[in-house]
Amino acid sequence: MSAEQPLTGRARPDRRPHTLKEWRKLGGYDAVERGLKTMTPEEVLDTVAAANLNGRGGAGFPAATKWRFMPKPGDAPGDGPSYFIVNGDEMEPGAFKDRILLEAVPHQLIEGAILAAYATYSSEIIVLIRDAYRDAIANMTRAIAEAEKAGYLGKNVLGSGFDVKMWVHPSAGRYIVGEETALIEALEGKRAVPRKRPPFPAQSGLWGRPTTVNNVETVSCVSHIVGNGAQWFRALSRTEEGGTKVFGVSGRVNKPQIIEAPMGTTAAELIERAGGVSGTGVLRCFQPGGGASGFLEPAEADIPLDFGHVAKAGSMFGTGTMIVLDESACPVGVIARHIAFYARESCGWCTPCRDGLPWVAQIMARLERGEGRMEDLQVLRDTVEIAGPRGRTFCDLMGGAMSPLGTGLARFGDLFEAHVREGCCPIARDYGRAVA
Amino acid sequence: MSLSKKLRSAITEAMEHHGGPRAAMLESLRMIQQEHGWVCDAHLEEAAALLGVTTAEMEDVATFYSLIFRQPVGEKVILLCDGASCYLNGAEDVRDAVMKRLGIGFGQTTPDGKYTLINICCVGGCDHAPAGVIGRNRKLVGPLTPDTIDQILGEDAK
């Protein structure tokens, strides 16, 4: 297994961030100098495109393709800046990967953001960070002040003629803020209700200006791509999709942890590195990329984990932070928790989500109590079919919520039925309540 | 009760820093809460007037974000993660133990005003599951067990 860990390799075990001086000694900001002094914005963008960097926030959309939607100066309608926004609102169940990048290596993120802003003709960078990540907010704010003082941010950065400023916007709860158009609403001082698309943010985003929103991990990759080249970045991966991935392994494993490994590493390898399956030691199933990713089973633990391969297996790579269930853990219980979460965190705008999810949550709770009815299962299947597909709601929260339910019903239908037939959770009955 | 001079100037400053009055609304609410623990009607109205937005607009924002408190909270706010990874590692036993010990449920404050208990979505501490964040500085704690909650409740997180 390749030992290269460009994103987390410089992070200290206690997550104490580097000062700018320390970061410079580790080669920090060399890529910014290279990009701004020797490359045009188009060349930076082309390099990222050649590196095949897919968005690490969950959707896996190619970063450079998103960037190409941004208008060049003069092409943007009206006056005002274009915005580059870093999404640090990490709240997906099971996701804890952006935290380390924000807390421990903030200068890496600033470097990436400067280069990304340069490539997207943006002059203002905003990092939105969730309220619970107070260390991340403090460390990012301090690092930005240092970078500004050293001339990496501000007017005419490194004499390149490029002006850019950057600041942190701390949020105050609600999962939906992490949806990119909801995030834009939040920055405008509104309730974070997702916008209908089109127009897309690159056409009309924050304050009606061209805007790009990228995930923390995506942006953290950029300086490495510009500094070392697209070929180097692609070679880090075992598959067509470039780079390493900051994976997370949690749930029923002995040593839940963050693992940066080549894109395409398998679930089996990651689980082994996380100390193996806990509890019974026997893997029942796993969600490869957070709460909104569909269940996969032991037979699929050897597929290369990247966006393409996981999608082909009928799930979603999502955040790349997997949730592991051993034989003594009940998928129905996990789904019930996920649904309760999505029902609570819905912004309440679109009817299928606002009204559908609490309905489903009630059914799931009933099943868990052993009071479910066989016809409930058909209601669940119908909801997955009716409300799950894209396009029924403004954003993908409802679709995301339906994916563990839909794959759960498809793969563990007999277990759902057993809950009804036996009037209890058969797994809890056989193994007791799942505790480590 | 009116806002301190320091808070008033911080709110005015936030307007420039965050790109306008609307953009500074949430930050203003956060600052008020950081100082007072929660956001009361009088403070909300005063901040709205300072920013030049309506009280209704301010209320609109304040009630959307789950971690802006519109009623008094205890000295220490305990936010317990109810994400799947915590659930899989016994979060519900920890929850039950905390509730039993404090005699309150989610969204409630102990009669002595010491603790408020709230559930929160995944706190990004899956490697410390079951986890929570406590106190005004949102300190991450975990892995929690029913036997170690005394420690958490007693620990000064301010």
Side-chain angles (χ1 to χ4, degrees):
Chain A
M1 185 172 286
S2 161
E4 273 200 276
Q5 299 183 318
L7 297 182
T8 60
R10 285 177 287 181
R12 294 178 173 129
D14 65 358
R15 300 201 176 178
R16 190 168 48 88
H18 304 84
T19 62
L20 179 67
K21 208 173 150 192
E22 289 167 340
W23 192 248
R24 288 286 292 132
K25 271 194 198 139
L26 297 172
Y29 290 92
D30 287 353
V32 173
E33 302 235 2
R34 178 176 178 176
L36 265 51
K37 286 182 173 169
T38 70
M39 297 165 84
T40 64
E42 292 77 11
E43 283 167 344
V44 171
L45 197 153
D46 289 341
T47 305
V48 172
N52 219 349
L53 170 66
N54 288 334
R56 309 298 203 230
F61 192 76
T65 307
K66 202 173 195 180
W67 294 3
R68 277 195 213 285
F69 295 131
M70 291 290 277
K72 291 186 180 179
D75 292 349
D79 288 329
S82 292
Y83 294 95
F84 185 83
I85 297 170
V86 183
N87 187 348
D89 197 52
E90 180 170 71
M91 279 193 225
E92 184 70 24
F96 54 114
K97 67 178 181 69
D98 293 337
R99 184 176 204 140
I100 184 173
L101 300 175
L102 288 162
E103 286 180 357
V105 278
H107 280 295
Q108 173 172 267
L109 180 70
I110 297 172
E111 287 184 76
I114 294 168
L115 289 163
Y118 181 64
T120 55
Y121 315 101
S122 307
S123 58
E124 302 200 16
I125 303 165
I126 305 169
V127 190
L128 184 136
I129 304 175
R130 70 177 291 187
D131 172 85
Y133 286 6
R134 292 293 172 88
D135 288 345
I137 291 169
N139 296 358
M140 272 313 303
T141 304
R142 207 179 310 123
I144 288 170
E146 281 183 305
E148 209 172 79
K149 208 170 153 200
Y152 294 114
L153 293 165
K155 291 250 173 237
N156 191 20
V157 178
L158 304 174
S160 64
F162 174 58
D163 300 337
V164 64
K165 57 179 179 179
M166 180 168 184
W167 71 92
V168 173
H169 176 99
S171 190
R174 291 305 283 269
Y175 168 74
I176 193 62
V177 174
E179 199 279 342
E180 69 172 13
T181 61
L183 188 151
I184 290 169
E185 291 282 300
L187 290 173
E188 291 186 1
K190 296 179 195 153
R191 297 169 81 84
V193 175
R195 293 177 178 176
K196 185 178 180 296
R197 277 152 288 203
F200 290 91
Q203 304 162 269
S204 177
L206 182 61
W207 310 112
R209 304 297 308 162
T211 302
T212 299
V213 184
N214 276 154
N215 167 262
V216 166
E217 187 186 347
T218 315
V219 179
S220 297
C221 291
V222 174
S223 64
H224 299 290
I225 294 170
V226 171
N228 299 308
Q231 280 317 310
W232 170 88
F233 189 76
R234 290 185 75 138
L236 291 173
S237 168
R238 293 190 196 163
T239 69
E240 279 302 299
E241 298 175 24
T244 58
K245 177 76 190 73
V246 183
F247 292 97
V249 191
S250 72
R252 304 286 284 172
V253 290
N254 288 309
K255 291 177 195 155
Q257 59 184 285
I258 290 295
I259 299 170
E260 183 179 1
M263 189 68 96
T265 301
T266 67
E269 290 170 83
L270 293 169
I271 290 170
E272 195 191 317
R273 283 178 68 180
V277 177
S278 63
T280 59
V282 181
L283 178 67
R284 178 184 291 276
C285 58
F286 62 101
Q287 291 181 273
S293 60
F295 285 97
L296 295 176
E297 291 176 86
E300 287 143 324
D302 290 319
I303 62 167
L305 293 175
D306 71 4
F307 293 97
H309 285 90
V310 178
K312 208 181 281 175
S315 180
M316 181 181 82
F317 187 45
T319 50
T321 45
M322 74 170 74
I323 302 171
V324 175
L325 281 72
D326 77 312
E327 279 289 343
S328 71
C330 179
V332 175
V334 169
I335 294 166
R337 297 304 166 296
H338 285 326
I339 295 291
F341 159 80
Y342 289 110
R344 183 183 73 212
E345 298 296 329
S346 166
C347 78
W349 185 266
C350 307
T351 308
C353 185
R354 179 189 61 240
D355 290 353
L357 283 174
W359 192 261
V360 173
Q362 275 180 35
I363 293 178
M364 292 305 299
R366 194 153 70 217
L367 282 171
E368 262 210 299
R369 288 198 307 269
E371 296 164 10
R373 305 176 294 240
M374 279 301 172
E375 56 264 36
D376 284 338
L377 305 186
Q378 194 54 45
V379 174
L380 295 180
R381 288 192 190 95
D382 289 347
T383 311
V384 170
E385 202 173 303
I386 295 164
R390 276 165 179 259
R392 303 275 158 88
T393 46
F394 275 10
C395 81
D396 284 334
L397 187 138
M398 184 63 179
M402 289 300 100
S403 98
L405 179 62
T407 53
L409 284 162
R411 289 172 182 263
F412 311 114
D414 49 344
L415 195 57
F416 276 80
E417 284 174 22
H419 275 73
V420 177
R421 216 175 31 244
E422 297 171 34
C424 67
C425 170
I427 293 175
R429 184 196 56 209
D430 295 348
Y431 293 96
R433 195 149 138 190
V435 286
Chain B
M1 203 163 50
S2 57
L3 295 170
S4 67
K5 215 170 154 189
K6 199 177 134 214
L7 256 178
R8 289 179 66 92
S9 65
I11 290 171
T12 315
E13 214 173 283
M15 255 193 279
E16 295 180 13
H17 185 64
H18 286 261
R22 285 210 66 94
M25 286 162 73
L26 190 61
E27 185 60 17
S28 304
L29 293 163
R30 291 183 85 256
M31 290 189 294
I32 293 169
Q33 182 163 299
Q34 194 66 21
E35 190 159 317
H36 296 276
W38 67 293
V39 182
C40 69
D41 287 352
H43 288 161
L44 184 137
E45 282 170 31
E46 199 181 331
L50 260 178
L51 293 172
V53 299
T54 67
T55 307
E57 285 172 314
M58 202 71 172
E59 186 82 84
D60 201 28
V61 171
T63 53
F64 185 86
Y65 297 89
S66 50
L67 294 174
I68 297 296
F69 305 135
R70 288 291 280 115
Q71 53 181 319
V73 291
E75 282 166 44
K76 188 185 279 184
V77 176
I78 301 169
L79 298 157
L80 288 181
C81 178
D82 60 11
S85 294
C86 285
Y87 159 73
L88 286 166
N89 286 291
E92 300 196 335
D93 292 335
V94 173
R95 175 200 67 194
D96 292 348
V98 173
M99 284 183 177
K100 194 176 164 203
R101 168 74 195 279
L102 297 180
I104 54 173
F106 281 136
Q108 296 179 335
T109 299
T110 52
D112 63 2
K114 269 196 161 171
Y115 302 103
T116 296
L117 186 63
I118 300 176
N119 53 334
I120 185 173
C121 50
C122 187
V123 294
C126 311
D127 44 354
H128 295 86
V133 288
I134 57 172
R136 286 202 188 174
N137 293 326
R138 307 273 187 261
K139 187 183 166 203
L140 179 71
V141 290
L144 303 171
T145 69
D147 296 331
T148 57
I149 57 165
D150 274 12
Q151 215 177 311
I152 305 309
L153 299 178
E155 198 176 317
D156 190 10
K158 277 188 185 174

